[in-house]
Short mmCIF file of all heavy atoms in Angstrom, two decimals:
data_model
loop_
_atom_site.label_atom_id
_atom_site.label_comp_id
_atom_site.label_asym_id
_atom_site.label_seq_id
_atom_site.Cartn_x
_atom_site.Cartn_y
_atom_site.Cartn_z
N ASP A 69 -0.33 -10.03 32.77
CA ASP A 69 -1.57 -10.38 33.49
C ASP A 69 -2.68 -9.39 33.14
O ASP A 69 -3.81 -9.77 32.84
CB ASP A 69 -1.35 -10.35 35.01
CG ASP A 69 -0.84 -11.66 35.56
OD1 ASP A 69 -0.86 -12.67 34.82
OD2 ASP A 69 -0.43 -11.68 36.74
N PHE A 70 -2.33 -8.12 33.21
CA PHE A 70 -3.30 -7.06 32.90
C PHE A 70 -3.79 -7.16 31.45
O PHE A 70 -4.99 -7.10 31.18
CB PHE A 70 -2.67 -5.69 33.17
CG PHE A 70 -3.39 -4.55 32.52
CD1 PHE A 70 -4.70 -4.25 32.87
CD2 PHE A 70 -2.76 -3.79 31.54
CE1 PHE A 70 -5.38 -3.21 32.25
CE2 PHE A 70 -3.44 -2.75 30.92
CZ PHE A 70 -4.74 -2.46 31.26
N PHE A 71 -2.86 -7.34 30.52
CA PHE A 71 -3.22 -7.34 29.09
C PHE A 71 -4.10 -8.54 28.74
O PHE A 71 -4.86 -8.50 27.76
CB PHE A 71 -1.95 -7.34 28.23
CG PHE A 71 -2.16 -6.90 26.82
CD1 PHE A 71 -2.41 -5.56 26.52
CD2 PHE A 71 -2.09 -7.80 25.76
CE1 PHE A 71 -2.60 -5.14 25.20
CE2 PHE A 71 -2.28 -7.38 24.44
CZ PHE A 71 -2.53 -6.05 24.17
N SER A 72 -4.03 -9.59 29.55
CA SER A 72 -4.86 -10.77 29.30
C SER A 72 -6.06 -10.84 30.24
O SER A 72 -6.74 -11.86 30.32
CB SER A 72 -4.01 -12.05 29.43
OG SER A 72 -3.40 -12.12 30.70
N SER A 73 -6.35 -9.73 30.93
CA SER A 73 -7.42 -9.74 31.94
C SER A 73 -8.81 -9.51 31.36
O SER A 73 -9.81 -9.59 32.09
CB SER A 73 -7.14 -8.68 33.01
OG SER A 73 -7.23 -7.36 32.45
N GLY A 74 -8.92 -9.21 30.08
CA GLY A 74 -10.21 -8.99 29.43
C GLY A 74 -9.98 -8.75 27.96
O GLY A 74 -8.84 -8.66 27.50
N PRO A 75 -11.06 -8.61 27.20
CA PRO A 75 -10.89 -8.41 25.76
C PRO A 75 -10.28 -7.05 25.43
O PRO A 75 -10.50 -6.06 26.14
CB PRO A 75 -12.31 -8.52 25.21
CG PRO A 75 -13.22 -8.38 26.36
CD PRO A 75 -12.46 -8.77 27.60
N ILE A 76 -9.53 -7.05 24.36
CA ILE A 76 -8.98 -5.81 23.78
C ILE A 76 -9.66 -5.57 22.44
O ILE A 76 -10.28 -6.48 21.88
CB ILE A 76 -7.44 -5.90 23.58
CG1 ILE A 76 -7.07 -6.96 22.53
CG2 ILE A 76 -6.74 -6.20 24.92
CD1 ILE A 76 -5.60 -6.93 22.10
N VAL A 77 -9.57 -4.37 21.94
CA VAL A 77 -10.03 -4.09 20.58
C VAL A 77 -8.80 -3.80 19.73
O VAL A 77 -8.12 -2.78 19.92
CB VAL A 77 -11.05 -2.95 20.52
CG1 VAL A 77 -11.35 -2.56 19.07
CG2 VAL A 77 -12.34 -3.38 21.22
N ALA A 78 -8.48 -4.75 18.86
CA ALA A 78 -7.28 -4.69 18.02
C ALA A 78 -7.64 -4.09 16.68
O ALA A 78 -8.66 -4.44 16.09
CB ALA A 78 -6.71 -6.10 17.83
N MET A 79 -6.79 -3.18 16.21
CA MET A 79 -7.09 -2.47 14.97
C MET A 79 -5.81 -2.24 14.16
O MET A 79 -4.72 -2.19 14.72
CB MET A 79 -7.67 -1.07 15.27
CG MET A 79 -8.95 -1.09 16.06
SD MET A 79 -9.49 0.59 16.51
CE MET A 79 -8.64 0.77 18.08
N VAL A 80 -6.01 -2.07 12.85
CA VAL A 80 -4.94 -1.57 12.00
C VAL A 80 -5.44 -0.30 11.34
O VAL A 80 -6.53 -0.29 10.74
CB VAL A 80 -4.51 -2.61 10.94
CG1 VAL A 80 -3.39 -2.04 10.07
CG2 VAL A 80 -4.08 -3.91 11.59
N TRP A 81 -4.66 0.76 11.49
CA TRP A 81 -4.99 2.05 10.89
C TRP A 81 -3.92 2.40 9.87
O TRP A 81 -2.73 2.20 10.13
CB TRP A 81 -5.07 3.15 11.97
CG TRP A 81 -6.29 3.01 12.83
CD1 TRP A 81 -6.42 2.30 13.99
CD2 TRP A 81 -7.60 3.58 12.57
NE1 TRP A 81 -7.70 2.40 14.47
CE2 TRP A 81 -8.44 3.18 13.64
CE3 TRP A 81 -8.11 4.40 11.56
CZ2 TRP A 81 -9.79 3.57 13.71
CZ3 TRP A 81 -9.44 4.78 11.63
CH2 TRP A 81 -10.26 4.36 12.69
N GLU A 82 -4.35 2.93 8.75
CA GLU A 82 -3.45 3.23 7.63
C GLU A 82 -3.49 4.71 7.29
O GLU A 82 -4.56 5.33 7.30
CB GLU A 82 -3.90 2.41 6.41
CG GLU A 82 -3.04 2.59 5.18
CD GLU A 82 -3.59 1.79 4.00
OE1 GLU A 82 -3.78 0.57 4.14
OE2 GLU A 82 -3.86 2.42 2.96
N GLY A 83 -2.32 5.27 7.00
CA GLY A 83 -2.28 6.66 6.57
C GLY A 83 -0.86 7.17 6.45
O GLY A 83 0.09 6.51 6.91
N ASP A 84 -0.69 8.34 5.89
CA ASP A 84 0.62 8.96 5.80
C ASP A 84 1.19 9.15 7.21
O ASP A 84 0.53 9.77 8.06
CB ASP A 84 0.51 10.32 5.10
CG ASP A 84 1.85 11.03 5.01
OD1 ASP A 84 2.72 10.54 4.27
OD2 ASP A 84 2.04 12.04 5.70
N ASN A 85 2.37 8.60 7.47
CA ASN A 85 3.03 8.76 8.78
C ASN A 85 2.19 8.20 9.94
O ASN A 85 2.29 8.68 11.07
CB ASN A 85 3.36 10.24 9.02
CG ASN A 85 4.33 10.45 10.18
OD1 ASN A 85 5.32 9.73 10.30
ND2 ASN A 85 4.04 11.42 11.03
N ALA A 86 1.39 7.17 9.64
CA ALA A 86 0.44 6.68 10.66
C ALA A 86 1.13 6.11 11.91
O ALA A 86 0.54 6.14 12.99
CB ALA A 86 -0.48 5.63 10.06
#
Side-chain angles (χ1 to χ4, degrees):
D69 272 349
F70 163 63
F71 199 73
S72 57
S73 66
I76 65 170
V77 172
M79 300 174 271
V80 180
W81 288 90
E82 181 182 305
D84 179 68
N85 194 44

